[in-house]
Amino acid sequence: MSKPKNVVITGASAGIGRAVAREFGARGDNVALLARGQGGLDAAVKDVEAAGGQAMAIATDVAEYSEVDSAGRQFEAEFGPIDVWVNVAFTSVFAPFEKITAEEYRRVTEVSYLGYVYGTMVALERMRPRNAGTIVQVGSALGSRAIPLQSAYCGAKHAINGFTESVRTELMHEHSNIHITIAQMPAVNTPQFSWVLSRLPNHPQPVPPIYQPEVAARAVVFASDHPRRKQYWVGASTAATTIGQKAVPALLDRYLAKTGYASQQTDQPVSSNRPDNLWAPRDAERGDDYGAHGIFDKRSHGRSPQLWVSQHARSTSIAAAGLTVAALLTRVRRT
């Protein structure tokens, strides 16, 4: 049996981060759980331990560098050097750009982009002396192709791609044994659609095809074990947006302008005053836990042929070609 790894996960109290924590726990790893909400953190500890790992919950706002740095120090003091750091934490606003305030835009950027920067900084500060370690960024199809109503989130995801590419090439220049990679996510069935700040008339939804958080979690763990490729595509929407952006961006603009509003909302009205997690966590109280899954279980896939292609292709170019075929096959099965 291999030695347990020491893993840090931001945004670990719910959604993809929660599923990732369970996946690493099932391998017997030691997992640091970073998030703001105590209720979700407490439940995540139980998940990791039930799966077979050890867990340390550290209440952390990733928009504050000092808190992220303190969390890294606490975890290493208890378990030793960090082997893997996974950046997942984010927040967002569903609204047209003109209806988002400057303060809200700054908050989304601080959490969803600078949170990744701070996490990467803290990880590298601890990995450099040993010249070993892996950083996995949880990206998004929306980092390749932006859509309406999510300008703050899309901007952050685009920024993560550019930031990560820059850091990767610096590590390559240094001939470093530290690796950084991105798992590019499709639409995932997480609780975010029930707690994100929204100014839409109807309940927000992920744009189909939708995948379960466990698909995302398997991708992240695989990427942590095979980090030399710069990115992994996880689902059909990830592949389709990337391919479409490169092939016919103008046509894609017109298509999204026409369909992007309706496709991101259900037919269920929702109050514009519903509680959200932009400024404070929804799971702040003990026992208040949202778990990994959102409300779209019946519409979500538990497997992804695109992830299989991305994992097994020998090169990025071969993966891209395979993703094109896999995306087309997925579309054929849905029609």
Side-chain angles (χ1 to χ4, degrees), residues 85-96:
W85 186 292
V86 183
N87 286 309
V88 187
F90 76 94
T91 189
S92 187
V93 177
F94 276 76

Side-chain angles (χ1 to χ4, degrees), residues 69-93:
D69 184 53
S70 176
R73 284 190 281 105
Q74 289 181 56
F75 183 63
E76 287 204 331
E78 179 70 21
F79 289 103
I82 295 167
D83 299 302
V84 178
W85 186 292
V86 183
N87 286 309
V88 187
F90 76 94
T91 189
S92 187
V93 177

Side-chain angles (χ1 to χ4, degrees), residues 153-228:
Y153 177 83
C154 291
K157 289 300 183 182
H158 274 72
I160 288 165
N161 285 341
F163 158 71
T164 302
E165 288 172 359
S166 181
V167 174
R168 181 188 299 112
T169 55
E170 291 176 7
L171 292 171
M172 293 171 65
H173 174 78
E174 300 166 11
H175 302 287
S176 175
N177 196 40
I178 301 168
H179 301 287
I180 184 167
T181 187
I182 306 179
Q184 303 286 19
M185 296 298 164
V188 182
N189 174 35
T190 72
Q192 68 144 317
F193 301 94
S194 297
W195 68 20
V196 71
L197 174 59
S198 176
R199 296 197 172 95
L200 306 181
N202 292 342
H203 196 292
Q205 70 171 4
V207 179
I210 308 168
Y211 296 85
Q212 294 290 22
E214 289 75 19
V215 175
R218 293 194 295 270
V220 169
V221 173
F222 184 89
S224 75
D225 288 336
H226 306 83
R228 291 185 180 274

Side-chain angles (χ1 to χ4, degrees), residues 138-154:
V138 172
S140 171
L142 303 188
S144 296
R145 169 65 247 188
I147 61 176
L149 303 178
Q150 294 199 58
S151 60
Y153 177 83
C154 291

Side-chain angles (χ1 to χ4, degrees), residues 60-334:
T60 307
D61 185 344
V62 298
E64 299 293 336
Y65 172 81
S66 60
E67 293 189 24
V68 181
D69 184 53
S70 176
R73 284 190 281 105
Q74 289 181 56
F75 183 63
E76 287 204 331
E78 179 70 21
F79 289 103
I82 295 167
D83 299 302
V84 178
W85 186 292
V86 183
N87 286 309
V88 187
F90 76 94
T91 189
S92 187
V93 177
F94 276 76
F97 175 68
E98 64 178 341
K99 294 184 178 180
I100 305 174
T101 69
E103 292 77 12
E104 291 165 349
Y105 224 98
R106 181 168 56 248
R107 176 61 180 170
V108 172
T109 303
E110 288 174 344
V111 174
S112 302
Y113 171 54
L114 289 181
Y116 278 56
V117 173
Y118 298 156
T120 302
M121 281 182 174
V122 171
L124 286 176
E125 286 169 3
R126 286 154 178 80
M127 293 174 178
R128 280 186 184 278
R130 309 188 317 272
N131 192 30
T134 297
I135 299 167
V136 181
Q137 318 283 39
V138 172
S140 171
L142 303 188
S144 296
R145 169 65 247 188
I147 61 176
L149 303 178
Q150 294 199 58
S151 60
Y153 177 83
C154 291
K157 289 300 183 182
H158 274 72
I160 288 165
N161 285 341
F163 158 71
T164 302
E165 288 172 359
S166 181
V167 174
R168 181 188 299 112
T169 55
E170 291 176 7
L171 292 171
M172 293 171 65
H173 174 78
E174 300 166 11
H175 302 287
S176 175
N177 196 40
I178 301 168
H179 301 287
I180 184 167
T181 187
I182 306 179
Q184 303 286 19
M185 296 298 164
V188 182
N189 174 35
T190 72
Q192 68 144 317
F193 301 94
S194 297
W195 68 20
V196 71
L197 174 59
S198 176
R199 296 197 172 95
L200 306 181
N202 292 342
H203 196 292
Q205 70 171 4
V207 179
I210 308 168
Y211 296 85
Q212 294 290 22
E214 289 75 19
V215 175
R218 293 194 295 270
V220 169
V221 173
F222 184 89
S224 75
D225 288 336
H226 306 83
R228 291 185 180 274
R229 185 176 301 162
K230 67 178 184 178
Q231 62 183 334
Y232 291 86
W233 293 270
V234 181
S237 56
T238 324
T241 54
T242 302
I243 294 163
Q245 175 65 4
K246 292 180 178 179
V248 283
L251 180 61
L252 197 53
D253 279 348
R254 290 194 291 271
Y255 174 78
L256 290 170
K258 182 177 181 180
T259 66
Y261 279 59
S263 64
Q264 294 186 76
Q265 302 176 70
T266 70
D267 58 2
Q268 298 299 312
V270 65
S271 171
S272 60
N273 296 320
R274 70 174 189 167
D276 64 77
N277 76 335
L278 183 62
W279 302 105
R282 289 290 306 279
D283 53 351
E285 301 298 326
R286 293 180 182 273
D288 190 6
D289 172 40
Y290 287 82
H293 286 225
I295 62 174
F296 302 101
D297 276 333
K298 293 182 179 179
R299 299 168 56 191
S300 300
H301 303 282
R303 296 184 180 278
S304 167
Q306 290 75 24
L307 174 58
W308 188 93
V309 170
S310 193
Q311 290 173 336
H312 290 82
R314 288 174 293 176
S315 70
T316 300
S317 59
I318 294 174
L323 283 165
T324 305
V325 175
L328 290 171
L329 289 174
T330 300
R331 187 172 183 84
V332 168
R333 286 198 297 270
R334 292 174 59 214

Side-chain angles (χ1 to χ4, degrees), residues 8-13 32-36 41 56 58 60 62 68 71 85:
V8 177
I9 305 167
T10 72
S13 62
L33 309 165
L34 278 56
R36 294 176 299 166
L41 284 172
M56 171 184 282
I58 308 173
T60 307
V62 298
V68 181
W85 186 292

